[in-house]
Amino acid sequence: MPGGRAPVRPQDLRDDGALRANREVFDRAVAEIAVATRRLLDDLVTSAPPKNREEQAAKRRARSAERYEAIRVYQEEKRAARAG
């Protein structure tokens, strides 16, 4: 086993005392990660102008329609080749 640790099994988690003791440490770590993540996101900068969500959604829909149309045409050609 890598690192010399056995995998955690469900039966190993039955000791409620250990769970309670580790819960505080786990919750504190999650809170610290949340603070660090928020700080990172707040400090990020870009020179790109903000994007218009509706405009971006319209572009995605158009790209999707083009892809599905290309797939439809390909499938029709394939069917025609098999039939012909």
Side-chain angles (χ1 to χ4, degrees):
M1 279 165 248
R5 297 187 110 183
V8 175
R9 302 171 304 171
Q11 59 268 33
D12 295 335
L13 298 176
R14 298 220 170 119
D15 179 9
D16 289 339
L19 283 176
R20 277 192 295 268
N22 289 326
R23 185 66 187 194
E24 183 179 325
V25 174
F26 178 80
D27 289 343
R28 187 173 57 242
V30 169
E32 290 172 7
I33 291 168
V35 168
T37 302
R38 174 52 42 208
R39 190 178 326 118
L40 169 68
L41 292 175
D42 289 345
D43 291 347
L44 289 175
V45 294
T46 180
S47 58
K51 293 184 179 181
N52 178 310
R53 288 179 185 263
E54 291 80 23
E55 183 180 308
Q56 296 299 314
K59 288 180 184 178
R60 284 193 306 274
R61 284 191 296 273
R63 285 192 304 268
S64 179
E66 288 175 18
R67 276 195 307 273
Y68 285 112
E69 177 62 17
I71 291 170
R72 189 190 63 76
V73 169
Y74 171 76
Q75 289 173 338
E76 281 183 7
E77 291 171 354
K78 194 173 174 182
R79 276 190 220 104
R82 273 186 286 177

